[in-house]
């Protein structure tokens, strides 16, 4: 069960930033005993792979903080973030099987499906909210929101690995935030549509 919570947290983080959970898992597997990867995911702890992920993370860190560029980046990340979610969920679930866990052991493909689905859901929430933030703040809010998302991805990744029982609270909080943001976006759209209808000609 803890492996599932770890996978849930890491794939949620991947929906915010594809590279942070990959880097966290890879570094911890490489330098600590906190994460033990099975042979099929050993590449994730390879130094060259970690270097490439680091470079991609740096590019993501810059691009995601520039208005308009961030939306283009989000389009590209529609493939990358879900794929990252599938990797980190599957890697941690497979690692748990090394310790004798039988959860989903007979259907390993479910780990990929869950990881991809969770990361994609968070990614959609992020890409829906970002244009609204840019429009309502004249682009000033983009670097602020992006920094919060990066910090959130790092925090969720660490919680998922070291305190997986708290992942449920984190995901519930994100779901509540998504519900609140969706309501605000819909209300803003309704007001924008209703405005011209109630305006009087001069």
């Amino acid at each position: 069960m803890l492996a599932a919570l770890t996978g849930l947290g890491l794939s949620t983080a991947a929906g915010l930033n594809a590279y942070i959970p990959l880097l966290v898992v890879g570094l911890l597997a490489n330098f600590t005993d906190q994460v033990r990867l099975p042979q099929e995911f050993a590449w994730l702890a390879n130094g060259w792979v970690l270097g490439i992920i680091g470079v991609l993370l740096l590019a993501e860190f810059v691009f995601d903080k520039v208005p308009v560029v961030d939306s283009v980046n989000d389009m590209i990340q529609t493939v990358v973030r879900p794929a990252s979610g599938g990797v980190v969920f599957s890697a941690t679930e497979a690692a748990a099987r090394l310790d004798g866990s039988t959860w989903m052991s007979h259907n390993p493909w479910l780990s990929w499906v869950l990881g991809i689905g969770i990361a994609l859901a968070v990614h959609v929430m992020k890409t829906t909210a970002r244009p609204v933030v840019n429009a309502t703040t004249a682009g000033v809010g983009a670097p602020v929101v992006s920094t919060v998302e990066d910090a959130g991805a790092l925090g969720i990744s660490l919680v998922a690995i070291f305190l997986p029982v708290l992942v449920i609270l984190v995901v519930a909080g994100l779901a509540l935030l998504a519900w609140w943001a969706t309501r605000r976006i819909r209300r803003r759209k309704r007001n924008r549509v209703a405005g011209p209808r109630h305006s009087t000609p001069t």
Side-chain angles (χ1 to χ4, degrees), residues 38-50:
Q39 187 61 38
E40 63 265 33
F41 289 100
W43 57 268
L44 193 53
N46 179 274
W48 284 103
V49 172
L50 291 175

mmCIF file with all atom_site columns, all heavy atoms in Angstrom, residues 38-50:
data_model
loop_
_atom_site.group_PDB
_atom_site.id
_atom_site.type_symbol
_atom_site.label_atom_id
_atom_site.label_alt_id
_atom_site.label_comp_id
_atom_site.label_asym_id
_atom_site.label_entity_id
_atom_site.label_seq_id
_atom_site.pdbx_PDB_ins_code
_atom_site.Cartn_x
_atom_site.Cartn_y
_atom_site.Cartn_z
_atom_site.occupancy
_atom_site.B_iso_or_equiv
_atom_site.pdbx_formal_charge
_atom_site.auth_seq_id
_atom_site.auth_comp_id
_atom_site.auth_asym_id
_atom_site.auth_atom_id
_atom_site.pdbx_PDB_model_num
ATOM 1   N N   . PRO A 1 38 ? 14.679 -1.684 -9.222  1.00 0.00 ? 38 PRO A N   1
ATOM 2   C CA  . PRO A 1 38 ? 14.922 -2.994 -9.839  1.00 0.00 ? 38 PRO A CA  1
ATOM 3   C C   . PRO A 1 38 ? 15.764 -2.828 -11.104 1.00 0.00 ? 38 PRO A C   1
ATOM 4   O O   . PRO A 1 38 ? 15.962 -1.716 -11.600 1.00 0.00 ? 38 PRO A O   1
ATOM 5   C CB  . PRO A 1 38 ? 13.515 -3.492 -10.162 1.00 0.00 ? 38 PRO A CB  1
ATOM 6   C CG  . PRO A 1 38 ? 12.702 -2.248 -10.307 1.00 0.00 ? 38 PRO A CG  1
ATOM 7   C CD  . PRO A 1 38 ? 13.279 -1.263 -9.343  1.00 0.00 ? 38 PRO A CD  1
ATOM 8   N N   . GLN A 1 39 ? 16.233 -3.924 -11.632 1.00 0.00 ? 39 GLN A N   1
ATOM 9   C CA  . GLN A 1 39 ? 17.157 -3.886 -12.762 1.00 0.00 ? 39 GLN A CA  1
ATOM 10  C C   . GLN A 1 39 ? 16.586 -3.146 -13.960 1.00 0.00 ? 39 GLN A C   1
ATOM 11  O O   . GLN A 1 39 ? 17.300 -2.397 -14.635 1.00 0.00 ? 39 GLN A O   1
ATOM 12  C CB  . GLN A 1 39 ? 17.533 -5.317 -13.175 1.00 0.00 ? 39 GLN A CB  1
ATOM 13  C CG  . GLN A 1 39 ? 18.626 -5.381 -14.227 1.00 0.00 ? 39 GLN A CG  1
ATOM 14  C CD  . GLN A 1 39 ? 19.925 -4.754 -13.758 1.00 0.00 ? 39 GLN A CD  1
ATOM 15  O OE1 . GLN A 1 39 ? 20.310 -4.883 -12.596 1.00 0.00 ? 39 GLN A OE1 1
ATOM 16  N NE2 . GLN A 1 39 ? 20.611 -4.056 -14.653 1.00 0.00 ? 39 GLN A NE2 1
ATOM 17  N N   . GLU A 1 40 ? 15.293 -3.334 -14.234 1.00 0.00 ? 40 GLU A N   1
ATOM 18  C CA  . GLU A 1 40 ? 14.713 -2.701 -15.425 1.00 0.00 ? 40 GLU A CA  1
ATOM 19  C C   . GLU A 1 40 ? 14.619 -1.180 -15.318 1.00 0.00 ? 40 GLU A C   1
ATOM 20  O O   . GLU A 1 40 ? 14.404 -0.487 -16.309 1.00 0.00 ? 40 GLU A O   1
ATOM 21  C CB  . GLU A 1 40 ? 13.321 -3.280 -15.721 1.00 0.00 ? 40 GLU A CB  1
ATOM 22  C CG  . GLU A 1 40 ? 12.270 -3.047 -14.651 1.00 0.00 ? 40 GLU A CG  1
ATOM 23  C CD  . GLU A 1 40 ? 12.163 -4.210 -13.688 1.00 0.00 ? 40 GLU A CD  1
ATOM 24  O OE1 . GLU A 1 40 ? 13.200 -4.853 -13.417 1.00 0.00 ? 40 GLU A OE1 1
ATOM 25  O OE2 . GLU A 1 40 ? 11.048 -4.480 -13.212 1.00 0.00 ? 40 GLU A OE2 1
ATOM 26  N N   . PHE A 1 41 ? 14.789 -0.650 -14.103 1.00 0.00 ? 41 PHE A N   1
ATOM 27  C CA  . PHE A 1 41 ? 14.763 0.802  -13.928 1.00 0.00 ? 41 PHE A CA  1
ATOM 28  C C   . PHE A 1 41 ? 16.106 1.342  -13.426 1.00 0.00 ? 41 PHE A C   1
ATOM 29  O O   . PHE A 1 41 ? 16.186 2.489  -13.003 1.00 0.00 ? 41 PHE A O   1
ATOM 30  C CB  . PHE A 1 41 ? 13.648 1.198  -12.952 1.00 0.00 ? 41 PHE A CB  1
ATOM 31  C CG  . PHE A 1 41 ? 12.263 1.038  -13.500 1.00 0.00 ? 41 PHE A CG  1
ATOM 32  C CD1 . PHE A 1 41 ? 11.501 -0.069 -13.173 1.00 0.00 ? 41 PHE A CD1 1
ATOM 33  C CD2 . PHE A 1 41 ? 11.721 1.983  -14.354 1.00 0.00 ? 41 PHE A CD2 1
ATOM 34  C CE1 . PHE A 1 41 ? 10.221 -0.237 -13.688 1.00 0.00 ? 41 PHE A CE1 1
ATOM 35  C CE2 . PHE A 1 41 ? 10.443 1.841  -14.867 1.00 0.00 ? 41 PHE A CE2 1
ATOM 36  C CZ  . PHE A 1 41 ? 9.692  0.718  -14.545 1.00 0.00 ? 41 PHE A CZ  1
ATOM 37  N N   . ALA A 1 42 ? 17.148 0.514  -13.505 1.00 0.00 ? 42 ALA A N   1
ATOM 38  C CA  . ALA A 1 42 ? 18.466 0.940  -13.019 1.00 0.00 ? 42 ALA A CA  1
ATOM 39  C C   . ALA A 1 42 ? 18.999 2.134  -13.799 1.00 0.00 ? 42 ALA A C   1
ATOM 40  O O   . ALA A 1 42 ? 19.795 2.927  -13.268 1.00 0.00 ? 42 ALA A O   1
ATOM 41  C CB  . ALA A 1 42 ? 19.443 -0.229 -13.105 1.00 0.00 ? 42 ALA A CB  1
ATOM 42  N N   . TRP A 1 43 ? 18.575 2.280  -15.051 1.00 0.00 ? 43 TRP A N   1
ATOM 43  C CA  . TRP A 1 43 ? 19.034 3.395  -15.877 1.00 0.00 ? 43 TRP A CA  1
ATOM 44  C C   . TRP A 1 43 ? 18.707 4.751  -15.255 1.00 0.00 ? 43 TRP A C   1
ATOM 45  O O   . TRP A 1 43 ? 19.381 5.756  -15.517 1.00 0.00 ? 43 TRP A O   1
ATOM 46  C CB  . TRP A 1 43 ? 18.403 3.308  -17.266 1.00 0.00 ? 43 TRP A CB  1
ATOM 47  C CG  . TRP A 1 43 ? 16.900 3.289  -17.248 1.00 0.00 ? 43 TRP A CG  1
ATOM 48  C CD1 . TRP A 1 43 ? 16.103 2.187  -17.207 1.00 0.00 ? 43 TRP A CD1 1
ATOM 49  C CD2 . TRP A 1 43 ? 16.022 4.423  -17.262 1.00 0.00 ? 43 TRP A CD2 1
ATOM 50  N NE1 . TRP A 1 43 ? 14.772 2.549  -17.188 1.00 0.00 ? 43 TRP A NE1 1
ATOM 51  C CE2 . TRP A 1 43 ? 14.698 3.915  -17.226 1.00 0.00 ? 43 TRP A CE2 1
ATOM 52  C CE3 . TRP A 1 43 ? 16.221 5.801  -17.310 1.00 0.00 ? 43 TRP A CE3 1
ATOM 53  C CZ2 . TRP A 1 43 ? 13.580 4.758  -17.220 1.00 0.00 ? 43 TRP A CZ2 1
ATOM 54  C CZ3 . TRP A 1 43 ? 15.115 6.640  -17.303 1.00 0.00 ? 43 TRP A CZ3 1
ATOM 55  C CH2 . TRP A 1 43 ? 13.808 6.117  -17.262 1.00 0.00 ? 43 TRP A CH2 1
ATOM 56  N N   . LEU A 1 44 ? 17.669 4.779  -14.419 1.00 0.00 ? 44 LEU A N   1
ATOM 57  C CA  . LEU A 1 44 ? 17.242 6.045  -13.837 1.00 0.00 ? 44 LEU A CA  1
ATOM 58  C C   . LEU A 1 44 ? 18.276 6.609  -12.867 1.00 0.00 ? 44 LEU A C   1
ATOM 59  O O   . LEU A 1 44 ? 18.287 7.810  -12.596 1.00 0.00 ? 44 LEU A O   1
ATOM 60  C CB  . LEU A 1 44 ? 15.901 5.841  -13.119 1.00 0.00 ? 44 LEU A CB  1
ATOM 61  C CG  . LEU A 1 44 ? 15.112 7.083  -12.690 1.00 0.00 ? 44 LEU A CG  1
ATOM 62  C CD1 . LEU A 1 44 ? 14.913 8.031  -13.869 1.00 0.00 ? 44 LEU A CD1 1
ATOM 63  C CD2 . LEU A 1 44 ? 13.774 6.669  -12.102 1.00 0.00 ? 44 LEU A CD2 1
ATOM 64  N N   . ALA A 1 45 ? 19.157 5.749  -12.343 1.00 0.00 ? 45 ALA A N   1
ATOM 65  C CA  . ALA A 1 45 ? 20.199 6.198  -11.419 1.00 0.00 ? 45 ALA A CA  1
ATOM 66  C C   . ALA A 1 45 ? 21.544 6.390  -12.119 1.00 0.00 ? 45 ALA A C   1
ATOM 67  O O   . ALA A 1 45 ? 22.527 6.727  -11.467 1.00 0.00 ? 45 ALA A O   1
ATOM 68  C CB  . ALA A 1 45 ? 20.348 5.192  -10.279 1.00 0.00 ? 45 ALA A CB  1
ATOM 69  N N   . ASN A 1 46 ? 21.582 6.208  -13.434 1.00 0.00 ? 46 ASN A N   1
ATOM 70  C CA  . ASN A 1 46 ? 22.819 6.379  -14.188 1.00 0.00 ? 46 ASN A CA  1
ATOM 71  C C   . ASN A 1 46 ? 23.224 7.855  -14.208 1.00 0.00 ? 46 ASN A C   1
ATOM 72  O O   . ASN A 1 46 ? 22.391 8.743  -14.367 1.00 0.00 ? 46 ASN A O   1
ATOM 73  C CB  . ASN A 1 46 ? 22.615 5.865  -15.614 1.00 0.00 ? 46 ASN A CB  1
ATOM 74  C CG  . ASN A 1 46 ? 23.848 6.030  -16.473 1.00 0.00 ? 46 ASN A CG  1
ATOM 75  O OD1 . ASN A 1 46 ? 24.060 7.084  -17.074 1.00 0.00 ? 46 ASN A OD1 1
ATOM 76  N ND2 . ASN A 1 46 ? 24.679 4.993  -16.525 1.00 0.00 ? 46 ASN A ND2 1
ATOM 77  N N   . GLY A 1 47 ? 24.524 8.106  -14.053 1.00 0.00 ? 47 GLY A N   1
ATOM 78  C CA  . GLY A 1 47 ? 25.011 9.476  -13.986 1.00 0.00 ? 47 GLY A CA  1
ATOM 79  C C   . GLY A 1 47 ? 24.706 10.296 -15.233 1.00 0.00 ? 47 GLY A C   1
ATOM 80  O O   . GLY A 1 47 ? 24.332 11.469 -15.145 1.00 0.00 ? 47 GLY A O   1
ATOM 81  N N   . TRP A 1 48 ? 24.861 9.685  -16.405 1.00 0.00 ? 48 TRP A N   1
ATOM 82  C CA  . TRP A 1 48 ? 24.578 10.398 -17.651 1.00 0.00 ? 48 TRP A CA  1
ATOM 83  C C   . TRP A 1 48 ? 23.095 10.744 -17.755 1.00 0.00 ? 48 TRP A C   1
ATOM 84  O O   . TRP A 1 48 ? 22.731 11.848 -18.179 1.00 0.00 ? 48 TRP A O   1
ATOM 85  C CB  . TRP A 1 48 ? 25.005 9.549  -18.848 1.00 0.00 ? 48 TRP A CB  1
ATOM 86  C CG  . TRP A 1 48 ? 26.479 9.536  -19.069 1.00 0.00 ? 48 TRP A CG  1
ATOM 87  C CD1 . TRP A 1 48 ? 27.350 8.539  -18.745 1.00 0.00 ? 48 TRP A CD1 1
ATOM 88  C CD2 . TRP A 1 48 ? 27.256 10.587 -19.646 1.00 0.00 ? 48 TRP A CD2 1
ATOM 89  N NE1 . TRP A 1 48 ? 28.632 8.890  -19.083 1.00 0.00 ? 48 TRP A NE1 1
ATOM 90  C CE2 . TRP A 1 48 ? 28.618 10.145 -19.643 1.00 0.00 ? 48 TRP A CE2 1
ATOM 91  C CE3 . TRP A 1 48 ? 26.960 11.844 -20.161 1.00 0.00 ? 48 TRP A CE3 1
ATOM 92  C CZ2 . TRP A 1 48 ? 29.642 10.935 -20.132 1.00 0.00 ? 48 TRP A CZ2 1
ATOM 93  C CZ3 . TRP A 1 48 ? 27.998 12.627 -20.657 1.00 0.00 ? 48 TRP A CZ3 1
ATOM 94  C CH2 . TRP A 1 48 ? 29.316 12.171 -20.642 1.00 0.00 ? 48 TRP A CH2 1
ATOM 95  N N   . VAL A 1 49 ? 22.249 9.799  -17.375 1.00 0.00 ? 49 VAL A N   1
ATOM 96  C CA  . VAL A 1 49 ? 20.805 10.043 -17.417 1.00 0.00 ? 49 VAL A CA  1
ATOM 97  C C   . VAL A 1 49 ? 20.429 11.172 -16.462 1.00 0.00 ? 49 VAL A C   1
ATOM 98  O O   . VAL A 1 49 ? 19.652 12.069 -16.811 1.00 0.00 ? 49 VAL A O   1
ATOM 99  C CB  . VAL A 1 49 ? 20.025 8.758  -17.062 1.00 0.00 ? 49 VAL A CB  1
ATOM 100 C CG1 . VAL A 1 49 ? 18.533 9.056  -16.922 1.00 0.00 ? 49 VAL A CG1 1
ATOM 101 C CG2 . VAL A 1 49 ? 20.255 7.693  -18.125 1.00 0.00 ? 49 VAL A CG2 1
ATOM 102 N N   . LEU A 1 50 ? 20.995 11.146 -15.270 1.00 0.00 ? 50 LEU A N   1
ATOM 103 C CA  . LEU A 1 50 ? 20.713 12.207 -14.300 1.00 0.00 ? 50 LEU A CA  1
ATOM 104 C C   . LEU A 1 50 ? 21.198 13.560 -14.811 1.00 0.00 ? 50 LEU A C   1
ATOM 105 O O   . LEU A 1 50 ? 20.549 14.586 -14.591 1.00 0.00 ? 50 LEU A O   1
ATOM 106 C CB  . LEU A 1 50 ? 21.380 11.869 -12.961 1.00 0.00 ? 50 LEU A CB  1
ATOM 107 C CG  . LEU A 1 50 ? 20.790 10.681 -12.199 1.00 0.00 ? 50 LEU A CG  1
ATOM 108 C CD1 . LEU A 1 50 ? 21.627 10.377 -10.961 1.00 0.00 ? 50 LEU A CD1 1
ATOM 109 C CD2 . LEU A 1 50 ? 19.347 10.955 -11.812 1.00 0.00 ? 50 LEU A CD2 1
#
